[in-house]
């Protein structure tokens, strides 16, 4: 997606709030993981190589148990500048920017296209199911006790 002058000016303002150490940590982690140097960039605008699930990124998602029950995929689209710490006002604030919205729309399009490809290729879906079943020994048992109920 295209970033215009308004996007870049806003990104530069957020960069002032991100420490050099935060940026260096992000650049180092990305280089270690993908072999790509993002030094001097505000955004990661590159398509990274596919990565094996055993090397999944740090952090958490809300996909939870679902990924043990059905094949899933995870990808990242730039919606904040390099070095933005998670769970911070800096990431929350950037979520309202036009560049974050452009990134989210790009992610939505990619997700829709992946769904179309899956629907059009039953063999791909079969292979994904077989791979998941082999990694989970054919099933998943939720670690939560069956009689556990929410307090609300």
């Amino acid at each position: 997606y295209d970033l215009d002058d308004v996007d870049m000016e806003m990104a530069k303002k957020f960069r002032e709030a991100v420490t050099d150490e935060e940026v260096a940590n992000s650049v180092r982690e990305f280089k270690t993981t993908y072999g790509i140097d993002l030094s001097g960039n505000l955004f990661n605008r590159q398509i990274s190589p596919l990565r094996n699930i055993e090397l999944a990124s740090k952090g958490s998602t809300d996909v939870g148990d679902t990924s043990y029950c059905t094949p899933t995929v995870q990808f990242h689209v730039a919606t904040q500048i390099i070095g933005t710490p998670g769970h911070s006002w800096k990431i929350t604030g950037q979520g309202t920017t036009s560049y974050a919205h452009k990134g989210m729309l790009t992610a939505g399009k990619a997700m829709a296209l992946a769904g179309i490809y899956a629907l059009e290729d039953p063999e791909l879906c079969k292979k994904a199911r077989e791979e998941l079943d082999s990694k989970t020994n054919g099933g998943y048992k939720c670690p939560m006790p069956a009689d556990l109920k929410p307090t609300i």
Side-chain angles (χ1 to χ4, degrees), residues 36-91:
I36 296 172
D37 187 1
L38 297 174
S39 299
N41 295 305
L42 278 172
F43 295 96
N44 174 7
R45 305 275 299 154
Q46 300 187 42
I47 297 175
S48 305
L50 182 62
R51 191 165 65 156
N52 189 314
I53 190 65
E54 282 74 19
L55 301 174
S57 63
K58 298 172 187 169
S60 62
T61 72
D62 58 358
V63 73
D65 292 34
T66 304
S67 65
Y68 289 94
C69 300
T70 192
T72 59
V73 66
Q74 181 177 341
F75 68 98
H76 300 271
V77 175
T79 57
Q80 74 261 346
I81 61 168
I82 294 169
T84 304
H87 305 287
S88 70
W89 71 265
K90 299 165 195 174
I91 201 166

Side-chain angles (χ1 to χ4, degrees), residues 66-125:
T66 304
S67 65
Y68 289 94
C69 300
T70 192
T72 59
V73 66
Q74 181 177 341
F75 68 98
H76 300 271
V77 175
T79 57
Q80 74 261 346
I81 61 168
I82 294 169
T84 304
H87 305 287
S88 70
W89 71 265
K90 299 165 195 174
I91 201 166
T92 302
Q94 287 180 83
T96 66
T97 64
S98 59
Y99 58 80
H101 291 185
K102 290 174 183 178
M104 288 182 254
L105 287 171
T106 298
K109 290 173 186 178
M111 291 167 67
L113 190 56
I116 291 168
Y117 286 160
L119 289 170
E120 291 179 339
D121 190 348
E123 187 61 29
L124 175 67
C125 294

Side-chain angles (χ1 to χ4, degrees), residues 65-72 118 121-140:
D65 292 34
T66 304
S67 65
Y68 289 94
C69 300
T70 192
T72 59
D121 190 348
E123 187 61 29
L124 175 67
C125 294
K126 181 181 174 196
K127 287 179 184 177
R129 168 55 64 191
E130 289 169 354
E131 179 182 339
L132 177 67
D133 288 346
S134 74
K135 290 184 181 233
T136 61
N137 294 320
Y140 170 68

